[in-house]
Each structure stands twice: as structure tokens, then as C-alpha cells.
Amino acid sequence: MIDLYYWPTPNGHKITIFLEETGTPYRIVPVNIGAGEQFKPEFLAIAPNNRMPAIVDHTPADDGRPLSVFESGAILLYLADKIGEFLPLSPRHRVEVSQWLFWQMGGLGPMLGQNHHFSHYAPEKIPYAIERYVKETNRLYGVADRRLSDREFLAGDYSIADMATYPWIVQYERQGQDLNDFPNLKRWFETIGGRAAVAAAYEKGKAVNTKPTVNADSAKILFGQTAETLRGAAAGRNAAGQ
């Protein structure tokens, strides 16, 4: 059994997609990031970067004590290795998947996240920042579109690289993008969106939360935290004897 510490965001959806695709038993443990639950001591014990998702695998392959994993890309690699699906064993094919997974983790996700922030959440509209990240989003969409011009999925066969990337494209309109400008990416997007496991994953998300995560109150929690926030959480954990 996998405990999935989760909130229905792009990074959270990555993991439910994989678990639904593989039929892996899991239990969702909601982490309401808008309410600051990511700073609870018990969550920081498994996710020291105070970001979800994170997992606890109660039946790791080495038959040892429960194993926790944080960072969505690391979780996908761990689960794919353990279950033996969506990550090829061949070194050549494995590196194809890995490089596109890391492209999402290091480029697509962070840049689109900044797009969301400055376009929709920043208290001050800064034209340069908005233009910077909308254009970078457009560039990254173009990278994916070219990649998909001669193959069905990012690494050839459907893989964890596609599962990691798809949830970030779902909000293309909020990112100032038109999928009609990227026909190969649009075809890929519609193909993945039509998969039963992907639909099931998003339904799981709706069962957890359908309200906007970011509002005037939650923005104070989600944005502008410092190291002192974690020190305070750690102090609370120590005071509780954990």
C-alpha cells in the first residue's frame, strides 16, 4: 500500500496518473497547501522541502521499514522502478525517458509555475515578468511540439515523462497559450486526456478539492515563506516530542 500525500495540483496529478495507470493500491492523505498543512511537523518528516506530493511505501522492495519519497520526479522514478512499468530497462530508452522527465522537472514546471504566479497571483502586475514567463512557456511548448512531430509520446512509448508533463499543459489557456499553434502537442494532449486512467486520476482530485487553492488568505501561506517558517515548524515538532 502506498500513502500518497496529495493536493490536486499539476505535481499531485502526476502521481495519481501513474498509480491509476498501474492499478497500484494507494490511499490519499490530503495536504491542504492553502491552509498551510505542508508545514505540519508530521509532513515535514517525510517531505523536508514542504512541498507535496510525497509518498510512504509500506511495502518497499527490500522488505524493510516503510520508505518515504518526496519530489514528484523522484516519486515517479521510484514507483516505475519498483513496479516495472513506464520506464524502460534498456539504457538507451531509459535515458530518453529520464531526460524528458528532467526537462519537465527543471524547465517546464518551474517556468509555467512562474507564469501562473505573475499572470494571476502576484499582488502587483509586472509587465516584464508576465511577458518573460509567457514567452518562455511558448518556447517550451514549441520544444515539446517539435519533439512530438515524429513520435506519439515524448520518449517514443507512453512513459512517466508524459505523465509528468501532461498536468502542466492542462492549464494552457491560463498560461496564455493556444494549443492550435502546436498541432503535435495538441494531438498528444488529447490522446493522453482520453486515457481512462488519466480521467480517473482527475476524478480523484475533484473528490479532494474543487475550490481554488489560491485566495487572499492562502496566498500569504503559499508565497513569501522563508527559512524561518521551517524553523518554526521544526520547533513545534520538537516541542511535541516528535
Side-chain angles (χ1 to χ4, degrees):
M1 173 66 71
I2 301 289
D3 283 345
L4 170 61
Y5 291 78
Y6 166 91
W7 199 246
T9 69
N11 287 335
H13 290 312
K14 296 175 187 179
I15 311 306
T16 50
I17 289 173
F18 180 91
L19 294 169
E20 291 291 332
E21 289 281 10
T22 57
T24 302
Y26 68 102
R27 178 177 71 99
I28 287 178
V29 182
V31 179
N32 186 342
I33 59 176
E37 292 179 0
Q38 67 272 36
F39 296 107
K40 287 186 174 181
E42 57 268 30
F43 181 67
L44 290 174
I46 62 171
N49 194 38
N50 63 272
R51 296 287 188 271
M52 66 91 234
I55 66 167
V56 175
D57 183 359
H58 292 277
T59 56
D62 63 3
D63 296 323
R65 60 186 175 83
L67 176 64
S68 62
V69 187
F70 72 99
E71 288 294 328
S72 58
I75 294 168
L76 287 173
L77 286 170
Y78 171 78
L79 291 173
D81 272 331
K82 179 185 178 182
I83 296 168
E85 295 188 48
F86 301 114
L87 181 61
L89 294 177
S90 159
R92 184 175 297 273
H93 294 140
R94 187 181 181 91
V95 77
E96 287 288 302
V97 173
S98 297
Q99 64 189 359
W100 286 98
L101 173 64
F102 280 61
W103 172 80
Q104 185 284 309
M105 292 293 298
L108 190 76
M111 294 299 102
L112 273 54
Q114 294 298 327
N115 181 330
H116 293 170
H117 181 80
F118 286 106
S119 296
H120 302 288
Y121 304 133
E124 176 186 355
K125 295 299 182 184
I126 304 172
Y128 173 81
I130 294 171
E131 181 181 25
R132 157 89 174 98
Y133 290 110
V134 170
K135 283 186 173 180
E136 179 63 4
T137 299
N138 188 268
R139 185 191 73 81
L140 290 162
Y141 273 46
V143 170
D145 191 67
R146 289 194 304 275
R147 174 67 177 176
L148 292 163
S149 64
D150 61 354
R151 69 202 75 216
E152 187 173 7
F153 300 106
L154 287 170
D157 294 330
Y158 183 54
S159 73
I160 57 174
D162 302 291
M163 298 176 197
T165 301
Y166 173 83
W168 281 99
I169 307 298
V170 167
Q171 299 186 55
Y172 62 90
E173 291 179 328
R174 283 174 59 80
Q175 297 160 11
Q177 306 303 315
D178 183 351
L179 279 190
N180 291 315
D181 295 336
F182 306 97
N184 303 312
L185 181 63
K186 182 179 180 180
R187 181 264 309 157
W188 168 92
F189 179 78
E190 292 174 346
T191 297
I192 293 180
R195 295 180 69 91
V198 174
Y202 275 80
E203 287 301 314
K204 291 289 180 68
K206 291 177 184 177
V208 172
N209 181 60
T210 57
K211 298 178 182 179
T213 297
V214 182
N215 55 44
D217 291 328
S218 66
K220 299 173 185 177
I221 298 170
L222 291 166
F223 310 130
Q225 299 293 339
T226 67
E228 192 59 37
T229 308
L230 294 180
R231 293 190 189 105
R237 180 183 179 188
N238 291 335
Q242 296 185 36

